[in-house]
Amino acid sequence: MRHLGIRTRLTLLYGVLFLVGGTILLGLTYVLVKQNIHQRNSGSVSTLPAELKVGMGDQSIRVNEILKDLQARQERIEQDTLDALITQGSIALGLVTVIGVGVGWLMAERALRPVHRITETARRVAGGSLHERIALHGPADEIKELADTFDSMLERLDQAFDGQRRFAANASHELRTPLTINRTLIEVALGRPSPPPELVQLGETLLAVNARHERLIDGLLTLVASEQALTVHDPVDLAEVARHVVGDRPISVSFDDAPAVGDPVLLERVVQNLVDNALAYNVPGGQVWVSTGPTWVTVSNTGPVVPPYEIPGLFEPFRRLRSRTGSAHGTGLGLSIVRSVAVAHGGTVDAKPRDGGGLTVTVTLPTRK
């Protein structure tokens, strides 16, 4: 019973109620009809003509036989009537139960229609569209109260996430300007004639730090953009994107057509981040493989061993494995951006350790319609 859907359980409940109610009604009808027939037949013998009740000898015996025969006939008629009532009533009860189950199935579907609407909205919200609302119209019952509460929760979540995105975007823009100024001043200082070696070393260090901060801000802006609803739905071939990203780098490739729909800039950033991570977090002399196929792109490398329990944390912003080579030079946003872009496109990201060390990451996107 627990494995049945709520619509099936409601239908069974309606059917059982019809059956129980019909059975009780049939039983009461049987008792009332039996009493009525018995009362009508109990006085029928007493209404016979008087000459049939009196007599001597054989004539009296004949009258008694007639009375017994009449009583027997009355009992048979009464029993046949009750049997017919039970038989025909049971058939009618079965038909009514079947009709009741059908009506119950339709009633359950109608009663659960608002619940299905709530479920569909929740599913779309889970896909990243916090702008969805149920907006259920109808009587002020428990289901409408649930829908209104869900809409209120979505409204607050939408406002909270919008505020977070606006803050990240504004902060990133505000930080980009002073970083650009710092880079310009450092380059001007280094461009002076015959700068001291100490100044050159300091300038190069500051430029590296500044470049890392610029990459971090660029990653934050991309992450904010990937968490918003898509406004571009262009046809994109992931194989062409991967071929462009790989270029002439020493990477083993296997490209098959991978049609998708979405934002080409964000999808290129996905492949770019995967390839850059695979190259940065690799062992000296290691290999990187990039392959595409229908609806997916996979990037793997021969990096250090990654424990399976550490993989979920790699997709969190600013989370890095300190034991991985190159972790000090990254921003910690690469895989976070990959997951956000994939989710925004209705896709998924799967990562698993590679035998012998390294990581294999597969991004799967919906097929082009």
Side-chain angles (χ1 to χ4, degrees), residues 127 129 228-237 259-267 341-346 366-369:
S129 178
Q228 296 177 350
L230 288 179
T231 57
V232 180
H233 301 275
D234 295 336
V236 180
D237 188 352
V261 174
D263 189 329
V265 176
L266 291 179
L267 292 178
V341 173
V343 171
H345 284 75
T367 57
R368 181 189 305 170
K369 297 182 181 179

Side-chain angles (χ1 to χ4, degrees), residues 23-42:
T23 302
I24 295 174
L25 180 60
L26 181 60
L28 291 176
T29 303
Y30 178 86
V31 173
L32 294 176
V33 170
K34 184 177 180 180
Q35 290 178 352
N36 185 270
I37 292 176
H38 182 71
Q39 290 175 358
R40 287 177 178 271
N41 294 335
S42 61

